[in-house]
Amino acid sequence: MSEAPLNYHISSAVIATLPRATDSVLLELAAMENVEIHAHAGGKIVLVIEGTSTGMMGDCLSRISLLDGVISANMVFEHVETEGAHTDDRRTDAA
């Protein structure tokens, strides 16, 4: 019996912080596994979360939302790649 293909999830999120807490939230995010900070300004942080399931994305976003100084943590986009799947290079998933 063959194994199910592995899915790889990539999600973007926007985090809003209290201005006084932005630096400490950035430090905590930088230490998190599978989280990459792409930009921050004016108390807002844009990041990417990677993992193997939607549940993993949700768990990570929930942990982020509970950080001291975080006002909100919202997923903006999620893309799923399936291991071994063939893609059409001309197609985009952009909204």
Side-chain angles (χ1 to χ4, degrees):
M1 189 173 229
S2 63
E3 292 183 31
L6 181 65
N7 288 331
Y8 187 72
H9 297 247
I10 302 168
S11 173
S12 60
V14 175
I15 313 304
T17 66
L18 296 170
R20 64 173 167 68
T22 302
D23 290 338
S24 64
V25 171
L26 284 166
L27 287 173
E28 291 190 63
L29 291 172
M32 292 179 116
E33 199 170 319
N34 300 318
V35 172
E36 184 177 329
I37 299 165
H38 281 272
H40 63 89
K44 294 207 171 58
I45 303 167
V46 177
L47 53 84
V48 169
I49 305 168
E50 301 176 357
T52 56
S53 71
T54 298
M56 188 177 183
M57 304 288 101
D59 289 345
C60 185
L61 201 58
S62 292
R63 283 193 317 274
I64 291 169
S65 70
L66 295 174
L67 294 175
D68 190 37
V70 170
I71 298 168
S72 65
N74 297 298
M75 188 178 296
V76 177
F77 179 81
E78 182 175 358
H79 176 77
V80 180
E81 289 285 332
T82 301
E83 184 178 69
H86 298 285
T87 61
D88 180 350
D89 290 337
R90 295 173 296 185
R91 192 181 118 224
T92 66
D93 292 319

